[in-house]
Amino acid sequence: TLQARTQQDASSEASSAAPAHASAGITGAQLAEYMKLLHFVTGILNGIERKNDSWVASEFAGDVAALAAAAQRGDVKAQLVMFMKSRGRDDEQNFKWSGRALAQDCLEMYLFIAVSGTRAYLGALCMSDGLRSTVAKDRAMIPLRATAERYNSATAQHVLGMLMYCSQCDIGTKVDFLDAARWTRKA
């Protein structure tokens, strides 16, 4: 009957709008959007790494000692590559290379750090390991917003707009969506 079908439709809508992860309050639609964005930002990082690996192969024939010497001399691109090679291995070296590249106002370093932070946030969010707070999202958005604003980076603007959109999917206000759309269109 019509009443039974209406109740069934209502319960179906409620289950699709219900949080997929009760502790995080994330809906299934949000999770799907976050997963798409996670895939996208991972592609950005892989592209940056492939581009730099190609550069190292062509400029230094893979010689890490020559790369390190160029980084020591102040070659900002070499510093970025040294930073990427030291990630997860040596925090002191990692800090040294990132600091030198950032001091030279290296857009690619800012973008790499911003998108890496976004990937870490999205990965934690999608893998249900508890890092779902607004504070974590805001922390991921700080370098992303700074890179989007300061460097007018289309990549950072797009990722920022999509992160804002995904976080408001199914729950946002019109103002939140407008802000997300502004960043995405700016890209």
Side-chain angles (χ1 to χ4, degrees):
T1 69
L2 181 59
Q3 183 181 10
R5 220 176 327 165
T6 306
Q7 287 175 342
Q8 188 179 30
D9 291 343
S11 69
S12 174
E13 287 176 23
S15 68
S16 67
H21 304 290
S23 64
I26 299 172
T27 67
Q30 282 177 303
L31 186 59
E33 293 299 320
Y34 281 132
M35 290 297 287
K36 287 179 198 173
L37 188 55
L38 177 60
H39 180 70
F40 180 73
V41 299
T42 299
I44 292 169
L45 293 172
N46 290 341
I48 292 171
E49 289 175 353
R50 278 191 308 274
K51 178 180 143 192
N52 286 313
D53 286 347
S54 177
W55 177 76
V56 169
S58 71
E59 294 293 317
F60 301 99
D63 183 355
V64 178
L67 175 67
Q72 288 284 12
R73 287 191 305 273
D75 183 321
V76 71
K77 196 164 189 170
Q79 291 168 348
L80 171 65
V81 174
M82 291 302 293
F83 165 77
M84 291 167 45
K85 288 187 176 300
S86 67
R87 280 181 309 143
R89 293 186 205 126
D90 186 343
D91 288 340
E92 187 178 318
Q93 286 297 309
N94 192 277
F95 184 73
K96 170 182 142 182
W97 295 123
S98 67
R100 288 182 178 188
L102 292 172
Q104 293 185 61
D105 218 22
C106 176
L107 165 62
E108 200 168 10
M109 178 63 81
Y110 279 101
L111 183 62
F112 189 82
I113 289 170
V115 175
S116 292
T118 303
R119 181 177 64 179
Y121 167 71
L122 291 170
L125 193 66
C126 294
M127 301 307 162
S128 305
D129 76 355
L131 212 97
R132 294 179 182 78
S133 70
T134 301
V135 172
K137 180 187 77 179
D138 291 346
R139 188 173 291 146
M141 290 175 85
I142 290 169
L144 200 54
R145 184 181 295 272
T147 305
E149 289 174 347
R150 182 174 181 185
Y151 294 99
N152 209 21
S153 166
T155 302
Q157 291 166 348
H158 180 75
V159 172
L160 178 61
M162 293 308 298
L163 181 59
M164 294 169 110
Y165 168 78
C166 291
S167 67
Q168 298 305 317
C169 188
D170 288 348
I171 60 170
T173 66
K174 188 175 183 176
V175 172
D176 297 327
F177 283 117
L178 290 174
D179 199 24
R182 262 192 292 277
W183 281 110
T184 305
R185 272 194 309 265
K186 201 171 186 181

